[in-house]
Amino acid sequence: MNAAMRVEAVKLMRSRVGVIGSAAIVAGILVLCAGMMLALATGDPQLTAKLGPDASLTWDGLWNTAAQITSAGGLLAFGVVAAWMFGREFGDGTITGLFALPVGRGAIAAAKLIVFAAWGAAVSILLAGVLVALGLIAGFGWPDAAAWAGAGRQIALGVFSAGLAVPAAWVATSARSLLGGVSVAIGLVVVAQVGVVAGAGGWMPLAAPALWAISAGTAVNGAQLGVTVALVALCAAGTAWWWHRLQLDR
């Protein structure tokens, strides 16, 4: 198991998908947040109205903006990487070689999931760090307790977003298609955004983490977040089970 985790970690770190995915999440969200802050600084009332009532040149405004971008763009980027980690084995034809290894396919899938979770946590922590630097450069002052709490929620939202991308890995496995997993990642973003607009609220697992982060924890309770955790656990278990029963029939 340890050997499988080391191999999967090396695969991810040396892959272009892993590097580009990390850059898209960290640098992409940072640039978008900086752009929105510059737009607010111009004082244009039309731009301010477009950015929404929660947009402001404060720590709260920064965390709200970052949470909204992470809930859509972050989820998509995490989904693409998850789909690649599992779907590439079929697209590149390496799945055949995995059957010759002494490590079972279920253990390999578990190793992939653990590496993906660790990568998602690392990227989320790095993103929160660069956002703190952005706030300091913008002149928000040293973060107080409330601002650090916002940073913590941003990290948690990143980890939740990575977890919600696991269905893309499951579908990439069951369909034996990288593009199938990517399609599911896009679908997850669409469903989450439509759910928020439709007022599904905290009981919608795909939207609950974002609503929790944006509302500073007031709009979503622990039970609702628990549903999201249960969904992630179910999809992770389903992916490992599917790999365990995998057969070479084509």
Side-chain angles (χ1 to χ4, degrees):
M1 185 66 178
N2 289 337
M5 290 173 58
R6 285 195 297 272
V7 170
E8 294 302 329
V10 170
K11 285 182 185 177
L12 180 60
M13 288 188 294
R14 293 185 177 181
S15 69
R16 292 181 181 179
V17 174
V19 173
I20 294 174
S22 301
I25 294 170
V26 177
I29 294 176
L30 174 65
V31 169
L32 287 175
C33 287
M36 290 186 179
M37 290 170 58
L38 288 173
L40 280 174
T42 63
D44 188 327
Q46 292 184 346
L47 280 175
T48 303
K50 290 179 180 178
L51 294 175
D54 294 329
S56 61
L57 292 174
T58 63
W59 283 112
D60 287 342
L62 173 61
W63 296 128
N64 284 335
T65 301
Q68 293 181 44
I69 299 172
T70 303
S71 63
L75 175 57
L76 178 59
F78 282 125
V80 170
V81 174
W84 175 83
M85 289 184 68
F86 287 83
R88 67 169 292 272
E89 306 289 4
F90 303 97
D92 294 347
T94 53
I95 187 65
T96 305
L98 296 182
F99 277 78
L101 297 177
V103 181
R105 271 83 62 201
I108 293 174
K112 287 179 179 289
L113 290 168
I114 292 172
V115 169
F116 176 72
W119 169 76
V123 168
S124 299
I125 293 171
L126 179 59
L127 172 60
V130 298
L131 289 175
V132 169
L134 176 63
L136 292 174
I137 294 172
F140 296 165
W142 187 254
D144 56 13
W148 285 121
R153 287 192 296 274
Q154 174 61 35
I155 294 173
L157 175 59
V159 174
F160 270 119
S161 298
L164 288 172
V166 172
W170 192 356
V171 172
T173 298
S174 59
R176 304 189 178 200
S177 169
L178 167 60
L179 292 179
V182 172
S183 299
V184 168
I186 297 172
L188 291 172
V189 174
V190 173
V191 171
Q193 297 302 307
V194 171
V196 171
V197 173
W203 289 111
M204 183 178 183
L206 294 176
L211 293 173
W212 170 76
I214 294 172
S215 67
T218 59
V220 178
N221 57 41
Q224 291 169 327
L225 286 177
V227 174
T228 300
V229 173
L231 174 64
V232 173
L234 173 64
C235 292
T239 303
W241 174 81
W242 207 287
W243 271 66
H244 176 69
R245 296 177 54 85
L246 204 61
Q247 298 292 326
L248 288 178
D249 57 358
R250 63 182 72 178

